[in-house]
Amino acid sequence: MRIKLHGTRGAYPTSSKETQKLGGNTSCIEIIDANERLILDAGTGILEIDFDSYSSADRIDILLTHLHMDHIQGLGFFKPIFDPNKEIHIWGPGGSSYPLKDRLKRFLSPPLFPVMLRDIPSKLVIHELPNEPFKLGKFLITAKFVCHPGPTVGYRIQMGSRSVAYIPDHEPVLNKPHLFKEDKWISGFDLCNKTDLLIHDSQFGCEEYKKKVGWGHCTLEIAAELAKRAKAKRLVMFHHDPAHTDKYRSDIFTSFMNSHTNDFPIELAVQGHEIEI
Ligand SMILES: [Zn+2]
Ligand SMILES: [Zn+2]
């Protein structure tokens, strides 16, 4: 399985020169295995996808973690949605008093977007995620609600014996220095359990988090503790704060790495990087 990181930033895109190393696009990754592909989230990173690679695909599946703008703002500009020969399947969380389609329509309609959802030329099929694991091609998908404001899921994507867990927006504990003692009470634990690769929120440094409790994001320390507890084999720290320069992000990462011992690789997510598992 290959995982392409097309957008690694949280909140809003940034074009500042000082953020270009880690990347300025908001959340989007692509998972590829032979000729099967999935897109996770539709932040501005979705616009980095090689559209030609989808030219022969009749069907495209986009899995959304939630509907915060940084995870959907590229959707209306994703070229294949204007191709009448394409079927675009969008998956996202239910769990709200409004159906997913109505919630998406609020964004994909005037005045926020010039085209109405119903006038989009491709065949759009919108699915609320099932509670049980389900298959898309050879991928086995598990989606579970995680702690973040509004209905939000994390994903585990399995292909044969390999798996990747993607939880870009997550605050597994509220204003506590450590996770709960019992694994079963930890938000997202099952998704990460012994995964080959965990791509996880790590937006804040410890001092900064104290002022942003309840915003739905976590520290590098908590992301690493979750990976360790769940015996994940590799951790990619994702959802960089757009106000953090590459230097600041790299400094807090180095300081974290120098003060913690971890027996698995940890790295900062870099837009454009491809990871093979
Ligand atoms: Zn986000
Ligand atoms: Zn969010």
Side-chain angles (χ1 to χ4, degrees):
M1 250 196 303
R2 289 186 294 134
I3 293 98
K4 287 187 176 181
L5 308 179
H6 294 299
T8 58
R9 204 54 70 173
Y12 55 88
T14 162
S15 59
S16 156
K17 272 198 296 219
E18 294 175 330
T19 55
Q20 293 311 292
K21 206 172 130 224
L22 296 176
N25 278 323
T26 62
S27 305
C28 177
I29 68 165
E30 195 182 13
I31 300 179
I32 305 168
D33 194 288
N35 53 358
E36 304 216 21
R37 290 161 181 268
L38 292 176
I39 297 168
L40 275 70
D41 277 334
T44 57
I46 201 170
L47 306 173
E48 298 292 329
I49 290 181
D50 172 15
F51 297 132
D52 291 342
S53 64
Y54 285 89
S55 59
S56 62
D58 302 327
R59 170 180 174 143
I60 299 172
D61 286 277
I62 301 174
L63 306 173
L64 302 175
T65 53
H66 61 312
L67 302 195
H68 285 163
M69 282 295 284
D70 50 328
H71 298 256
I72 58 169
Q73 62 204 153
L75 193 57
F77 304 97
F78 182 53
K79 230 167 148 186
I81 74 166
F82 295 100
D83 179 346
N85 298 316
K86 294 267 186 281
E87 240 182 51
I88 314 279
H89 290 252
I90 298 176
W91 302 78
S96 157
S97 36
Y98 298 98
L100 178 65
K101 188 171 184 176
D102 289 357
R103 283 181 283 140
L104 262 179
K105 237 194 263 178
R106 288 183 185 170
F107 166 57
L108 287 172
S109 64
L112 298 181
F113 190 70
V115 185
M116 301 283 278
L117 189 75
R118 63 163 186 255
D119 296 330
I120 285 174
S122 62
K123 184 172 181 226
L124 274 188
V125 188
I126 295 171
H127 307 263
E128 296 204 355
L129 289 158
N131 292 325
E132 298 304 317
F134 62 103
K135 281 203 122 180
L136 286 176
K138 289 187 189 144
F139 295 113
L140 178 67
I141 323 279
T142 307
K144 290 202 176 210
F145 285 105
V146 294
C147 293
H148 187 69
T152 303
V153 297
Y155 287 101
R156 183 184 178 104
I157 312 290
Q158 190 101 22
M159 169 74 97
S161 59
R162 292 153 301 145
S163 70
V164 51
Y166 173 70
I167 316 180
D169 293 48
H170 193 201
E171 188 173 11
V173 279
L174 213 55
N175 204 17
K176 295 266 190 304
H178 294 289
L179 296 169
F180 296 116
K181 287 205 172 76
E182 283 188 75
D183 296 344
K184 67 177 179 182
W185 298 118
I186 301 174
S187 166
F189 185 87
D190 292 348
L191 297 171
C192 316
N193 200 3
K194 299 192 176 85
T195 190
D196 295 290
L197 174 65
L198 171 59
I199 299 173
H200 197 277
D201 189 341
S202 58
Q203 183 161 337
F204 298 132
C206 282
E207 283 310 305
E208 196 179 5
Y209 175 70
K210 289 177 191 160
K211 291 182 213 134
K212 294 181 175 172
V213 173
W215 285 37
H217 301 289
C218 68
T219 58
L220 286 69
E221 282 74 5
I222 288 291
E225 189 178 330
L226 176 57
K228 194 172 195 166
R229 285 280 293 276
K231 299 190 173 63
K233 297 191 184 105
R234 180 171 176 180
L235 170 64
V236 171
M237 293 185 164
F238 196 79
H239 208 271
H240 308 307
D241 193 304
H244 290 178
T245 62
D246 292 329
K247 180 174 179 331
Y248 179 76
R249 197 77 180 135
S250 159
D251 286 350
I252 58 172
F253 178 71
T254 306
S255 139
F256 160 76
M257 292 298 274
N258 289 340
S259 54
H260 293 76
T261 335
N262 290 291
D263 52 2
F264 54 93
I266 303 179
E267 68 220 84
L268 289 175
V270 176
Q271 182 182 312
H273 270 191
E274 187 172 313
I275 297 167
E276 183 133 20
I277 56 168

